[in-house]
Amino acid sequence: MINDKQIKNSKTGEQVKRWRLILGQYADEHLNANDNLGLYDKQIDQALDYLYQHEYRSRGLLTEDKNDSESRRGGNQSSAYNTVNWLRQSRKLFPKSTFERMQNQAIERYQLEGILNDPNAVKELQPNFNSVRLLMSLRGKLSNSVQNEVKALIRKVVDEILKKIQMNFINAMTGKKNRFRRSLIKNNQNFDWRATIKANLKNFDQNKQQIIIEKAIFNSRANRQLPWDIILCVDQSGSMDSSIFYSAVCASIITQLPAVRLHLFVFDTQVVDLTHLASDPVEILMTVQLGGGTNIGYALNYAEQKIINPSRTVMIVVSDFYEGVNLTNLYNTVTRLNANRVKMLGLAALDYSATPVYDLQVSQELANRGMEIAALTPEHFATWLAEVMK
């Protein structure tokens, strides 16, 4: 029978073991907990130590020689424990959220050389937005050998986002339903309930008192005949990585729309024309250079030169609106574009939790001068853009 003392000792032993895993190998002498670590605990300890020994080094603290460490631990450590093995092992050992946090720290905080230089390590990264964001921020430090794997990872994340938003985005943008033309695309926005009921009246069930739908009918969309020019100006300053990612995805969708011509510019204090890459969001993300200042007025002056038909032009500025150069030029340019009947949309930056992050004072003044300002997800942005282009 287990008594209270045994329970207390068990709890104490578990607490000591947890503290040992938190503090690492340098707590062995004081906690004397190494003997209480089972094989699973030692694997966790090994994974944590491989990552956080970089913290000791960054603080100038001495770290134990790896060979001595393996000898002292009785040969339980892997003799070839590199970054790839660490990623594979950690994915199995820790919950997904914990692993992703460790992976982010490995790249962003410690910049593990194995991830930056080993294509196999990039293959082991979790394909999510955080991985893309971190690799983009370190792109200048990545070796040439990992570029293709980085592109493949970004492609996976982009394709996943496209699956979620592409159809609704296109439906919102391609005009009203055409009741006289049927569509094979089965989408709730295209559903023609009147025609469906009429076509299935013969299937009325007397007992159940309901119509049995054997064939659902969907309408196609009417294409707009007059072309629109969309000029998308995306701020590429350091705080804009999330917005750049979604802007690249949206640009690739817009290029597929009928009767729409897209110009794509990214800017900080200079402007780079990426129109030729607009259909490929991966290439856009591999090209942008995050960082630098912000000169929105200069970007609008550059974009203004591309306007052919002002009344059929939508100029979209994706930015946090923290203008760093000349507010007078920015305000005057927006006033002039508005007078020329150019439709202007200001899409405020969103952080990783979809919270708007932008300069309220500047954006309010731009709104006063004719630019519509909003902070929207891509799906709602498509609806907004479609309303403007009606």
Side-chain angles (χ1 to χ4, degrees):
M1 184 176 182
I2 301 176
N3 55 39
D4 292 342
K5 184 176 181 180
Q6 289 175 309
I7 294 175
K8 183 177 180 180
N9 289 338
S10 176
K11 289 182 177 180
T12 301
E14 185 65 24
Q15 290 173 344
V16 170
K17 183 174 69 174
R18 286 180 174 272
W19 275 110
R20 165 59 184 78
L21 292 174
I22 292 171
L23 296 174
Q25 58 180 288
Y26 300 100
D28 278 349
E29 181 179 349
H30 300 285
L31 292 180
N32 194 29
N34 192 50
D35 293 338
N36 295 327
L37 298 180
L39 179 60
Y40 178 73
D41 298 320
K42 289 182 178 180
Q43 289 176 333
I44 292 179
D45 181 44
Q46 180 187 17
L48 294 172
D49 183 65
Y50 183 82
L51 177 61
Y52 295 115
Q53 64 179 315
H54 294 80
E55 185 71 28
Y56 291 115
R57 292 195 182 113
S58 67
R59 297 185 183 188
L61 302 175
L62 294 176
T63 57
E64 191 175 52
D65 181 77
K66 181 180 179 181
N67 292 329
D68 290 344
S69 173
E70 291 178 358
S71 175
R72 182 176 64 81
R73 297 187 190 190
N76 286 323
Q77 304 301 319
S78 169
S79 59
Y81 199 64
N82 54 30
T83 304
V84 176
N85 291 337
W86 175 76
L87 287 165
R88 290 174 178 169
Q89 187 77 347
S90 297
R91 183 180 287 108
K92 297 176 183 178
L93 291 171
F94 299 99
K96 182 178 179 181
S97 59
T98 303
F99 169 68
E100 289 187 355
R101 187 180 306 169
M102 293 171 65
Q103 172 184 290
N104 293 347
Q105 289 185 343
I107 302 173
E108 189 173 42
R109 185 166 182 172
Y110 304 123
Q111 300 179 14
L112 291 186
E113 291 185 3
I115 294 177
L116 301 180
N117 299 300
D118 187 349
N120 292 321
V122 177
K123 288 180 181 179
E124 293 297 326
L125 293 178
Q126 196 76 15
N128 54 35
F129 175 73
N130 278 334
S131 298
V132 173
R133 178 178 64 86
L134 294 171
L135 289 172
M136 284 175 62
S137 68
L138 295 170
R139 187 178 50 235
K141 300 178 182 179
L142 297 173
S143 66
N144 292 333
S145 63
V146 305
Q147 292 290 331
N148 288 337
E149 293 304 330
V150 170
K151 287 184 179 182
L153 184 144
I154 294 176
R155 176 70 64 189
K156 289 179 183 178
V157 179
V158 166
D159 288 347
E160 190 63 31
I161 297 297
L162 282 172
K163 287 179 183 178
K164 295 178 181 179
I165 73 171
Q166 186 170 24
M167 186 57 67
N168 287 337
F169 197 107
I170 291 176
N171 285 339
M173 289 292 301
T174 50
K176 63 182 180 180
K177 287 187 288 187
N178 184 348
R179 294 172 54 197
F180 305 101
R181 184 180 174 187
R182 300 308 179 200
S183 172
L184 297 178
I185 300 176
K186 297 181 179 180
N187 184 283
N188 61 345
Q189 294 186 22
N190 295 338
F191 181 61
D192 189 334
W193 61 271
R194 290 187 178 89
T196 298
I197 291 175
K198 184 177 180 180
N200 291 276
L201 282 174
K202 60 184 179 181
N203 301 321
F204 185 76
D205 189 317
Q206 294 288 350
N207 296 327
K208 296 182 178 180
Q209 290 295 296
Q210 61 183 230
I211 298 174
I212 306 301
I213 303 298
E214 291 185 353
K215 180 182 180 181
I217 297 176
F218 299 84
N219 293 322
S220 66
R221 297 264 165 176
N223 293 333
R224 296 184 176 90
Q225 299 302 315
L226 295 177
W228 279 92
D229 287 310
I230 296 178
I231 303 176
L232 181 58
C233 302
V234 185
D235 186 345
Q236 64 170 353
S237 57
S239 59
M240 293 294 298
D241 48 3
S242 176
S243 295
I244 286 177
F245 179 86
Y246 286 104
S247 296
V249 172
C250 290
S252 70
I253 299 174
I254 292 173
T255 60
Q256 304 174 40
L257 301 177
V260 172
R261 292 188 296 259
L262 175 71
H263 298 278
L264 173 63
F265 307 130
V266 296
F267 69 92
D268 40 42
T269 56
Q270 300 295 320
V271 178
V272 179
D273 189 338
L274 297 182
T275 302
H276 62 293
L277 298 177
S279 63
D280 192 339
V282 175
E283 288 300 326
I284 295 173
L285 295 173
M286 293 297 292
T287 301
V288 294
Q289 300 292 330
L290 290 170
T294 305
N295 192 340
I296 307 172
Y298 177 74
L300 293 185
N301 293 151
Y302 184 91
E304 188 177 14
Q305 302 173 34
K306 304 296 181 180
I307 296 175
I308 299 174
N309 185 350
S311 63
R312 301 290 295 181
T313 299
V314 182
M315 188 174 293
I316 305 165
V317 181
V318 183
S319 177
D320 55 16
F321 299 106
Y322 287 101
E323 178 65 290
V325 181
N326 190 336
L327 281 172
T328 300
N329 177 50
L330 171 60
Y331 294 153
N332 290 341
T333 302
V334 170
T335 300
R336 183 172 62 254
L337 290 169
N338 184 53
N340 290 332
R341 299 173 61 196
V342 174
K343 295 176 173 60
M344 293 174 291
L345 307 181
L347 196 59
L350 301 177
D351 65 12
Y352 311 120
S353 59
T355 302
V357 181
Y358 61 103
D359 189 306
L360 293 174
Q361 183 176 350
V362 172
S363 57
Q364 182 60 60
E365 184 60 31
L366 294 177
N368 294 340
R369 293 170 181 263
M371 179 182 288
E372 297 182 48
I373 305 290
L376 302 171
T377 60
E379 297 93 330
H380 292 99
F381 165 65
T383 303
W384 185 36
L385 183 56
E387 289 294 326
V388 170
M389 293 168 60
K390 280 185 177 179

